[in-house]
Amino acid sequence: MNITKTLLGTAVAATLGSTAAFAQDDCAERGVLDAIYCDANGDLVADTPTDPAKLNDPSTLVFAYTPVEDPAVYADIWEPFIAHLEEATGRDVQFFAVQSNSAEVEAMRSGRLHIAGFSTGPTPFAVNLAGAVPFAIMGADDGQFGYKLQVFTQADSDIKEMADLKGKRVAHTSPTSNSGNQAPRALFPGLGVTPDTDYEVTYSGSHDQSMLGVVAGDYDAAPVASEVVERMAERGLYDPADVRLIWESAPFPTTSFTVAHDLDPELAEKIKQAFFSFQFEGTKLGEEFQGVSKFIPITYKDQWAVIREIQASNGVEYTPQGLAAN
């Protein structure tokens, strides 16, 4: 069952900004985490509260997947996993179709979202502003996972290499997106083209819109996530013959699956085991994510190191203002 946007209640910026009254003054170490969280063990994610009164043990779990072009389609795709999660936890589970990265982060921070898949770039915001704890990622049997940043133009375009983007109109997705904005800003200057200086940046809002905009000729080119455009092609949303790949990166980690830091530890463990015991084969989820066969254990500290490096090179700060700007 979908939960409407009224789940969010208050405005994103207002909710994220109201931290002073809840700051943990007795916290000796929190790194760049928001003041309401603590990180005593140095793993870069919020610690589970030591006070039992601060633990959350909801009778109904709310699960969200990263914003996509058609949330209704993904509610159906995730249905078999949700049924598995309900059986493993003994709780009802509701799918929340989020409309934006900011809304998803705010929902977890406010305690209304318990389990979530956050896109690569927004994951550090979720960790630092919402107390999200990444623990899994989709992968193959051999343990491989990830996606590439790819740059597409029209099939008949005069753009042949990255330097040809100069003077063009290029679609980035959103400011926090890794492959749709942060990685291009960090990597493209080394390829001879600097966003906003050498070409005009237009934010499309999503990888889907960027790709469809290239196909339609609204944009001259677009950096997008390989996993998204591959699924779009499989669903017939565009004809691969209409576009041409001009560059791609080495792999990045894909969507992080997280639990809220304040969930009761026993419940959090059941949730994690539900992910790791889920069988993709023969399900709608397995059909949608080709080449994926299981959830693989990860940590934010290790697997998101390259993403934090990219964002640091772009001067990104994990603040409410930085997230609200999206």
Side-chain angles (χ1 to χ4, degrees):
M1 181 176 67
N2 289 348
I3 299 177
T4 64
K5 290 172 67 177
T6 57
L7 177 71
L8 299 180
T10 56
V12 173
T15 302
L16 290 174
S18 57
T19 64
F22 303 99
Q24 295 189 30
D25 295 330
D26 59 344
C27 180
E29 181 59 52
R30 63 170 54 92
V32 296
L33 293 174
D34 188 85
I36 64 175
Y37 307 117
C38 206
D39 180 25
N41 60 6
D43 62 359
L44 305 186
V45 299
D47 297 337
T48 302
T50 55
D51 181 355
K54 295 182 179 180
L55 294 176
N56 191 9
D57 192 18
S59 59
T60 297
L61 295 169
V62 180
F63 168 73
Y65 182 61
T66 181
V68 291
E69 180 65 17
D70 191 347
V73 170
Y74 275 78
D76 185 55
I77 288 170
W78 280 98
E79 187 176 341
F81 174 78
I82 288 176
H84 174 74
L85 185 59
E86 289 182 325
E87 182 178 357
T89 62
R91 312 291 172 96
D92 290 333
V93 179
Q94 294 180 321
F95 183 83
F96 174 29
V98 293
Q99 304 300 315
S100 69
N101 294 318
S102 295
E104 189 176 19
V105 171
E106 191 278 337
M108 180 166 282
R109 179 183 175 92
S110 65
R112 299 183 177 95
L113 179 61
H114 311 115
I115 312 161
F118 287 100
S119 296
T120 306
T123 287
F125 285 90
V127 167
N128 290 289
L129 295 178
V133 179
F135 67 89
I137 196 170
M138 289 182 179
D141 281 333
D142 61 3
Q144 296 297 309
F145 60 84
Y147 71 98
K148 296 179 180 180
L149 157 59
Q150 297 180 323
V151 181
F152 284 92
T153 186
Q154 292 86 17
D156 58 356
S157 169
D158 60 356
I159 300 173
K160 306 299 182 184
E161 57 185 32
M162 291 297 290
D164 294 336
L165 293 179
K166 292 180 179 179
K168 303 296 186 179
R169 187 166 185 255
V170 179
H172 286 205
T173 59
S174 65
T176 59
S177 173
N178 178 63
S179 55
N181 186 58
Q182 294 292 332
R185 291 185 182 279
L187 301 177
F188 286 5
L191 301 172
V193 61
T194 300
D196 280 328
T197 298
D198 293 322
Y199 66 73
E200 176 190 354
V201 172
T202 299
Y203 289 113
S204 69
S206 70
H207 294 275
D208 307 61
Q209 290 295 339
S210 287
M211 198 63 176
L212 294 175
V214 169
V215 172
D218 296 332
Y219 312 118
D220 296 308
V224 290
S226 60
E227 60 171 1
V228 176
V229 296
E230 287 166 4
R231 292 198 299 272
M232 290 177 66
E234 289 163 2
R235 294 202 301 271
L237 297 180
Y238 77 95
D239 185 347
D242 291 336
V243 297
R244 177 162 41 81
L245 176 69
I246 61 173
W247 184 83
E248 66 179 4
S249 72
F252 297 120
T254 184
T255 301
S256 68
F257 291 90
T258 72
V259 291
H261 80 292
D262 61 349
L263 285 185
D264 179 271
E266 184 176 342
L267 175 58
E269 185 59 30
K270 288 181 180 179
I271 292 169
K272 293 176 183 178
Q273 290 309 312
F275 274 81
F276 298 137
S277 62
F278 181 72
Q279 301 295 316
F280 278 76
E281 187 175 358
T283 69
K284 296 176 183 177
L285 202 59
E287 294 172 0
E288 176 69 11
F289 295 93
Q290 294 292 324
V292 168
S293 58
K294 62 182 180 180
F295 288 101
I296 298 172
I298 55 94
T299 67
Y300 173 71
K301 187 174 185 178
D302 291 339
Q303 275 67 45
W304 256 256
V306 63
I307 305 304
R308 295 194 302 274
E309 183 178 352
I310 287 172
Q311 293 181 340
S313 73
N314 288 324
V316 172
E317 295 183 353
Y318 306 123
T319 64
Q321 294 75 21
L323 182 64
N326 298 285

